[in-house]
Structures are given as C-alpha cells and as structure tokens.
Amino acid sequence: MAGETIHGHRFFIGFGGKGANQCVQAARMGAKTAMVCKVGRDVFGNDYIQNFKNNDISTGNSQTVLHWENAIVIVAVNAKVLVCQLEINPDTSLQALRMARENHVKTICNPAPAIADLCSDFYKVFDVFCCNESEAELLTGLSVTSVEDASQVGLELLNKGCGSVIVTLGPQGCVVCQSRNMAPKHIPTTAVTAADTTGAGDSFIGALAFYMAHYPTMPLEEMARRANLVAAMSVQTVGTQTSFPFQKDLPTELKVTLDLKTTPLICAQCPQNYCLYNKQNHFPGEFWIM
Ligand SMILES: Nc1ncnc2c1ncn2[C@@H]1O[C@H](COP(=O)(O)OP(=O)(O)OP(=O)(O)O)[C@@H](O)[C@H]1O
C-alpha cells in the first residue's frame, strides 16, 4: 500500500544507463572505447566515472557538472563506430549521428527509450537501427509478438528510410532486415537457462558495436548471430554490467585474438588470399585480419 513501510530483502546498486552498459560490453570484448556524457559532481557521479575507468573506457570527453546546463561539445571524430541512444535529447543524438556519418564513422542507433513521434530524419542518418520488440511497436504502431511480426516491423522501418534494421526478440534471437536485400532474416540464438535478462539488449548492442569496429566487412547477419551469443551469455548471470562477458570468457568462435591483429591468417582452402578464422563462418571475398 502507498505510504506503508515494508521490509526489503535485498538492496543492490548497479551501474547503468543504456549507453554506459553498451560501452562496457564493447570494452569487455576488447574494443577501444570512449564515453561522452555528463554526470553530477557528487559521489554517484564520481563512482560512475570510476566505473568507466575500471572498464578501460576513456572518459576524457565526459564531464562532471554541478548544475545541468546545455553545451555544444565538439568531439574530434576519430572512431570506427558511434553508438547513440535516446536517453539524452534526441536532437543531440541526431547531430552526433550526422557528424559521424560526415566523418565516415559507422553508426548504430538504439532508439531507447522509444518515443512514438521520432523525427523522420532519424531513420536516415545511421548504418544500423537496433531496437527491441516494444521499441519497434512504439515506433511503427504494429504489435510484435513473433518472428513474423518482427520481420514486418523491420520492413516498415526500412520504408521509413533505415538502411539496416535489427529487431531483437529475447530468447528468439533477432531479425535482420537490410534495404539492399528486402528479405528479413531470422537469426535464432542458443537456448540457455536465463537467470536475469536485464541489460541483454545492451550486451547485444555493445557486442554488435565491437564486431562492426573490428570486422567492418563481416555480413550484418553474422555480426547479429555473434551478438546473440554474447547476449545469451549475459542472461545466464544476475545483474546488468556485472553479467557482461569479457573477451577471455568468450568461446573461441566469438573471440578476436588481439595480438594476432596484424598477422593475417590465410585460408589454405581458398584460391585467393581469404582470411579464415573459423571454417564455419567463411565469407568469400573478404580478407579478415584477426
Ligand atoms: N532468454 C534468453 N535466452 C537467450 N538469449 C537471450 C535471452 N533473452 C535475451 N537474449 C539475447 O539478448 C538479445 C536482446 O534481448 P531482448 O530482445 O530481450 O532485449 P531488451 O528487451 O532490449 O533487453 P533489456 O531491455 O533487458 O536490455 C536477444 O536478441 C538475444 O540475443
């Protein structure tokens, strides 16, 4: 009842915010990451920034502020991938996405928390639009309860101007739609025993950002398949950031061996210099540096 004092059984504070979670997951996969944000100049803000540092995330473009004020921050764009959400003023995200595009930086837009009347420009300024079922519903007005529904909203989002769309579907994985191949593709995930699915979407996006940065030529479906598997690992442990796997926890198939980054692996089975990391995931025409 409202106003009633009751006994709690557990108290837990964890770091969050979608952007922060996604950044932490990408960093744990091995990506060089930076977070651009403002936090309050207080104990929570300090701990928040320290958490980024603990995860090897650069905070040089983040600020602690006493009073919330608006400022235009021009960040020299020197990144492979930019990930934006709608947790800040959408105009700011839109501007950042435009700047990234002008500077040939790949972009992921995660329209969360979703707003029904998202400016139509939004659908045109990023490379990948990644949303969950409820966000997809709010943005399109179509209900999403199945793979078929997700395929339908994916196509609807392509009609709004998106180049590539991923709709995540919890234990059913995700659906990928691309304007250059209008057939939606369902990418299932492995069945796991979920302990806590909070933050699964952020783990998925962090992993996706990592693959986009490290394997720019990998097909989006393959990135989504791998991101599914990383997110599936995260749901097996309680907590949000605390459940996100590190590179060392990943099965070999999902790993990038960073010290081999400059050593191309040549595929002996191919007539050309294809790089083969895993025989199951071989994409002719690509040269991967692992
Ligand atoms: N029970 C599960 N089993 C396996 N994988 C899961 C499960 N739940 C989520 N996932 C993985 O996580 C991805 C994102 O999940 P979901 O669609 O639930 O995102 P979300 O609703 O944004 O999550 P959240 O809001 O909790 O961060 C899925 O595409 C899938 O890869």
Side-chain angles (χ1 to χ4, degrees):
M1 286 233 315
E4 191 184 357
T5 303
I6 56 167
H7 289 282
H9 299 287
R10 216 161 63 120
F11 177 73
F12 176 78
I13 298 182
F15 294 105
K18 289 189 157 291
N21 293 343
Q22 293 161 10
C23 197
V24 165
Q25 179 63 86
R28 290 190 182 176
M29 301 274 300
K32 196 174 161 200
T33 53
M35 182 77 188
V36 182
C37 65
K38 278 185 178 180
V39 297
R41 195 170 300 160
D42 53 31
V43 66
F44 296 111
N46 294 343
D47 286 355
Y48 200 75
I49 293 290
Q50 188 56 47
N51 178 53
F52 289 132
K53 292 181 178 161
N54 294 346
N55 280 282
D56 286 331
I57 295 168
S58 164
T59 54
N61 287 307
S62 296
Q63 294 176 3
T64 51
V65 289
L66 262 182
H67 305 289
W68 197 259
E69 75 270 356
N70 278 327
I72 307 283
V73 182
I74 308 287
V75 180
V77 180
N78 181 19
K80 292 198 175 110
V81 176
L82 172 78
V83 187
C84 284
Q85 314 73 26
L86 299 180
E87 286 177 316
I88 56 170
N89 182 334
D91 290 341
T92 309
S93 290
L94 188 57
Q95 190 55 22
L97 290 165
R98 283 193 183 118
M99 284 170 68
R101 178 152 274 204
E102 282 161 16
N103 287 278
H104 312 291
V105 175
K106 293 263 180 248
T107 50
I108 301 175
C109 178
N110 172 220
I115 36 181
D117 54 350
L118 192 61
C119 160
S120 61
D121 285 2
F122 242 102
Y123 297 103
K124 297 162 193 147
V125 292
F126 49 77
D127 293 289
V128 180
F129 194 75
C130 185
C131 58
N132 67 14
E133 293 147 294
S134 59
E135 289 147 10
E137 275 189 28
L138 200 68
L139 292 166
T140 62
L142 302 170
S143 92
V144 184
T145 55
S146 65
V147 169
E148 291 68 34
D149 294 344
S151 303
Q152 203 51 49
V153 290
L155 292 175
E156 181 66 26
L157 290 165
L158 291 186
N159 280 339
K160 286 180 183 275
C162 296
S164 299
V165 175
I166 300 179
V167 182
T168 62
L169 292 167
Q172 295 194 82
C174 62
V175 165
V176 176
C177 294
Q178 291 181 277
S179 56
R180 60 189 160 87
N181 166 18
M182 294 291 278
K185 183 106 191 272
H186 176 218
I187 318 280
T189 188
T190 43
V192 297
T193 306
D196 180 0
T197 61
T198 320
D202 296 336
S203 173
F204 182 98
I205 289 175
L208 179 69
F210 166 79
Y211 289 118
M212 277 174 72
H214 280 260
Y215 301 89
T217 59
M218 185 185 281
L220 187 60
E221 286 99 340
E222 175 61 14
M223 293 191 202
R225 188 187 73 81
R226 293 181 182 214
N228 265 344
L229 300 180
V230 173
M233 289 179 73
S234 81
V235 304
Q236 294 174 65
T237 309
V238 175
T240 303
Q241 290 183 13
T242 48
S243 73
F244 291 176
F246 288 81
Q247 161 123 193
K248 66 175 170 50
D249 307 322
L250 302 177
T252 317
E253 188 207 359
L254 302 178
K255 261 185 197 157
V256 176
T257 316
L258 290 174
D259 27 328
L260 289 181
K261 245 179 111 187
T262 50
T263 314
L265 302 178
I266 309 299
C267 172
Q269 297 179 338
C270 297
Q272 295 165 43
N273 281 349
Y274 297 141
C275 176
L276 182 64
Y277 175 56
N278 172 331
K279 286 178 186 154
Q280 282 178 315
N281 304 316
H282 181 214
F283 301 104
E286 288 173 1
F287 186 80
W288 293 3
I289 298 188
M290 312 298 295

